[in-house]
mmCIF file of all heavy atoms in Angstrom:
data_model
loop_
_atom_site.group_PDB
_atom_site.id
_atom_site.type_symbol
_atom_site.label_atom_id
_atom_site.label_comp_id
_atom_site.label_asym_id
_atom_site.label_seq_id
_atom_site.Cartn_x
_atom_site.Cartn_y
_atom_site.Cartn_z
ATOM 1 N N LEU A 22 11.896 10.977 2.665
ATOM 2 C CA LEU A 22 10.799 11.557 3.470
ATOM 3 C C LEU A 22 9.454 11.046 2.989
ATOM 4 O O LEU A 22 8.592 10.657 3.813
ATOM 5 C CB LEU A 22 10.839 13.073 3.393
ATOM 6 C CG LEU A 22 9.700 13.799 4.099
ATOM 7 C CD1 LEU A 22 9.633 13.424 5.573
ATOM 8 C CD2 LEU A 22 9.832 15.297 3.950
ATOM 9 N N ALA A 25 8.985 7.327 3.916
ATOM 10 C CA ALA A 25 8.714 7.160 5.340
ATOM 11 C C ALA A 25 7.292 7.577 5.678
ATOM 12 O O ALA A 25 6.609 6.866 6.444
ATOM 13 C CB ALA A 25 9.700 8.001 6.129
ATOM 14 N N LYS A 33 -1.478 2.906 9.040
ATOM 15 C CA LYS A 33 -2.717 3.294 9.706
ATOM 16 C C LYS A 33 -3.929 2.879 8.865
ATOM 17 O O LYS A 33 -4.934 2.382 9.414
ATOM 18 C CB LYS A 33 -2.717 4.795 9.942
ATOM 19 C CG LYS A 33 -1.645 5.228 10.950
ATOM 20 C CD LYS A 33 -1.395 6.743 10.926
ATOM 21 C CE LYS A 33 -2.553 7.507 11.560
ATOM 22 N NZ LYS A 33 -2.249 8.945 11.670
ATOM 23 N N VAL A 45 11.762 5.948 11.404
ATOM 24 C CA VAL A 45 12.971 6.785 11.359
ATOM 25 C C VAL A 45 14.195 5.924 11.626
ATOM 26 O O VAL A 45 15.213 6.028 10.928
ATOM 27 C CB VAL A 45 12.879 7.953 12.359
ATOM 28 C CG1 VAL A 45 14.224 8.637 12.493
ATOM 29 C CG2 VAL A 45 11.800 8.947 11.918
ATOM 30 N N ALA A 52 20.161 4.363 5.241
ATOM 31 C CA ALA A 52 20.512 5.556 4.490
ATOM 32 C C ALA A 52 20.799 6.714 5.432
ATOM 33 O O ALA A 52 20.329 6.724 6.586
ATOM 34 C CB ALA A 52 19.377 5.934 3.531
ATOM 35 N N PRO A 55 18.201 12.728 7.007
ATOM 36 C CA PRO A 55 18.123 13.771 8.049
ATOM 37 C C PRO A 55 16.723 13.910 8.659
ATOM 38 O O PRO A 55 16.548 14.684 9.570
ATOM 39 C CB PRO A 55 18.497 15.045 7.293
ATOM 40 C CG PRO A 55 17.920 14.798 5.926
ATOM 41 C CD PRO A 55 18.097 13.331 5.661
ATOM 42 N N TYR A 66 -0.551 14.661 6.360
ATOM 43 C CA TYR A 66 -1.714 15.286 5.759
ATOM 44 C C TYR A 66 -1.373 15.794 4.342
ATOM 45 O O TYR A 66 -2.210 15.711 3.417
ATOM 46 C CB TYR A 66 -2.220 16.451 6.610
ATOM 47 C CG TYR A 66 -3.551 16.973 6.153
ATOM 48 C CD1 TYR A 66 -4.749 16.305 6.477
ATOM 49 C CD2 TYR A 66 -3.641 18.132 5.361
ATOM 50 C CE1 TYR A 66 -5.979 16.786 6.026
ATOM 51 C CE2 TYR A 66 -4.859 18.586 4.906
ATOM 52 C CZ TYR A 66 -6.030 17.921 5.241
ATOM 53 O OH TYR A 66 -7.223 18.383 4.784
ATOM 54 N N PHE A 67 -0.161 16.309 4.195
ATOM 55 C CA PHE A 67 0.310 16.737 2.857
ATOM 56 C C PHE A 67 0.227 15.596 1.843
ATOM 57 O O PHE A 67 -0.258 15.746 0.719
ATOM 58 C CB PHE A 67 1.724 17.269 2.955
ATOM 59 C CG PHE A 67 2.394 17.496 1.640
ATOM 60 C CD1 PHE A 67 2.000 18.527 0.819
ATOM 61 C CD2 PHE A 67 3.417 16.657 1.240
ATOM 62 C CE1 PHE A 67 2.621 18.721 -0.435
ATOM 63 C CE2 PHE A 67 4.042 16.843 0.026
ATOM 64 C CZ PHE A 67 3.641 17.882 -0.811
ATOM 65 N N LYS A 93 -5.948 -24.686 -10.871
ATOM 66 C CA LYS A 93 -5.359 -25.864 -10.224
ATOM 67 C C LYS A 93 -3.829 -25.732 -10.162
ATOM 68 O O LYS A 93 -3.076 -26.635 -10.476
ATOM 69 C CB LYS A 93 -5.759 -27.143 -10.934
ATOM 70 C CG LYS A 93 -7.276 -27.411 -10.873
ATOM 71 C CD LYS A 93 -7.651 -28.685 -11.619
ATOM 72 C CE LYS A 93 -9.137 -28.991 -11.401
ATOM 73 N NZ LYS A 93 -10.038 -27.909 -11.807
ATOM 74 N N ILE A 105 4.073 -10.761 -8.232
ATOM 75 C CA ILE A 105 3.308 -9.555 -7.870
ATOM 76 C C ILE A 105 4.150 -8.615 -7.002
ATOM 77 O O ILE A 105 4.130 -7.398 -7.197
ATOM 78 C CB ILE A 105 2.019 -9.965 -7.159
ATOM 79 C CG1 ILE A 105 1.078 -10.653 -8.123
ATOM 80 C CG2 ILE A 105 1.316 -8.713 -6.555
ATOM 81 C CD1 ILE A 105 -0.162 -11.247 -7.479
ATOM 82 N N LEU A 111 7.887 -1.591 -10.514
ATOM 83 C CA LEU A 111 7.522 -0.835 -11.706
ATOM 84 C C LEU A 111 6.323 0.049 -11.378
ATOM 85 O O LEU A 111 5.867 0.092 -10.253
ATOM 86 C CB LEU A 111 7.202 -1.815 -12.850
ATOM 87 C CG LEU A 111 8.330 -2.788 -13.244
ATOM 88 C CD1 LEU A 111 7.765 -3.902 -14.112
ATOM 89 C CD2 LEU A 111 9.438 -2.044 -13.931
ATOM 90 N N CYS A 114 1.032 -0.580 -11.215
ATOM 91 C CA CYS A 114 -0.177 -0.309 -10.401
ATOM 92 C C CYS A 114 -0.851 0.980 -10.812
ATOM 93 O O CYS A 114 -2.008 1.205 -10.438
ATOM 94 C CB CYS A 114 0.197 -0.266 -8.919
ATOM 95 S SG CYS A 114 1.399 1.032 -8.490
ATOM 96 N N MET A 121 -5.790 -7.666 -13.618
ATOM 97 C CA MET A 121 -4.970 -7.864 -14.811
ATOM 98 C C MET A 121 -3.544 -8.275 -14.427
ATOM 99 O O MET A 121 -2.955 -9.178 -15.035
ATOM 100 C CB MET A 121 -4.914 -6.575 -15.651
ATOM 101 C CG MET A 121 -6.208 -6.218 -16.349
ATOM 102 S SD MET A 121 -6.537 -7.252 -17.813
ATOM 103 C CE MET A 121 -7.767 -8.365 -17.167
ATOM 104 N N ILE A 122 -3.014 -7.612 -13.418
ATOM 105 C CA ILE A 122 -1.677 -7.953 -12.901
ATOM 106 C C ILE A 122 -1.693 -9.376 -12.346
ATOM 107 O O ILE A 122 -0.765 -10.161 -12.535
ATOM 108 C CB ILE A 122 -1.210 -6.949 -11.853
ATOM 109 C CG1 ILE A 122 -1.099 -5.549 -12.484
ATOM 110 C CG2 ILE A 122 0.130 -7.362 -11.236
ATOM 111 C CD1 ILE A 122 -0.814 -4.440 -11.480
ATOM 112 N N ALA A 125 -1.665 -11.927 -15.213
ATOM 113 C CA ALA A 125 -0.318 -11.990 -15.778
ATOM 114 C C ALA A 125 0.609 -12.816 -14.905
ATOM 115 O O ALA A 125 1.398 -13.628 -15.395
ATOM 116 C CB ALA A 125 0.238 -10.569 -15.994
ATOM 117 N N GLN A 159 3.385 -8.714 -18.679
ATOM 118 C CA GLN A 159 4.398 -9.785 -18.705
ATOM 119 C C GLN A 159 5.708 -9.296 -19.323
ATOM 120 O O GLN A 159 6.777 -9.588 -18.789
ATOM 121 C CB GLN A 159 3.867 -10.985 -19.490
ATOM 122 C CG GLN A 159 2.711 -11.686 -18.807
ATOM 123 C CD GLN A 159 2.015 -12.735 -19.684
ATOM 124 O OE1 GLN A 159 2.039 -12.605 -20.908
ATOM 125 N NE2 GLN A 159 1.446 -13.730 -19.048
ATOM 126 N N LEU A 163 9.397 -9.110 -17.485
ATOM 127 C CA LEU A 163 10.575 -9.768 -18.040
ATOM 128 C C LEU A 163 11.709 -8.755 -18.300
ATOM 129 O O LEU A 163 12.877 -9.074 -18.074
ATOM 130 C CB LEU A 163 10.192 -10.474 -19.350
ATOM 131 C CG LEU A 163 9.275 -11.694 -19.187
ATOM 132 C CD1 LEU A 163 8.833 -12.222 -20.544
ATOM 133 C CD2 LEU A 163 9.985 -12.818 -18.390
ATOM 134 N N LEU A 165 12.188 -6.089 -16.564
ATOM 135 C CA LEU A 165 12.713 -5.779 -15.230
ATOM 136 C C LEU A 165 13.751 -6.788 -14.810
ATOM 137 O O LEU A 165 14.841 -6.403 -14.352
ATOM 138 C CB LEU A 165 11.550 -5.777 -14.197
ATOM 139 C CG LEU A 165 11.948 -5.710 -12.727
ATOM 140 C CD1 LEU A 165 12.505 -4.325 -12.368
ATOM 141 C CD2 LEU A 165 10.767 -6.032 -11.825
ATOM 142 N N VAL A 199 0.873 23.116 -0.024
ATOM 143 C CA VAL A 199 -0.193 22.438 -0.760
ATOM 144 C C VAL A 199 0.143 22.548 -2.245
ATOM 145 O O VAL A 199 0.280 23.647 -2.793
ATOM 146 C CB VAL A 199 -1.560 23.103 -0.519
ATOM 147 C CG1 VAL A 199 -2.656 22.439 -1.326
ATOM 148 C CG2 VAL A 199 -1.908 23.018 0.957
#
Side-chain angles (χ1 to χ4, degrees):
L22 176 58
K33 294 166 72 174
V45 169
Y66 190 80
F67 168 71
K93 297 179 173 56
I105 292 173
L111 302 166
C114 61
M121 290 285 102
I122 298 173
Q159 293 171 331
L163 291 173
L165 170 71
V199 178

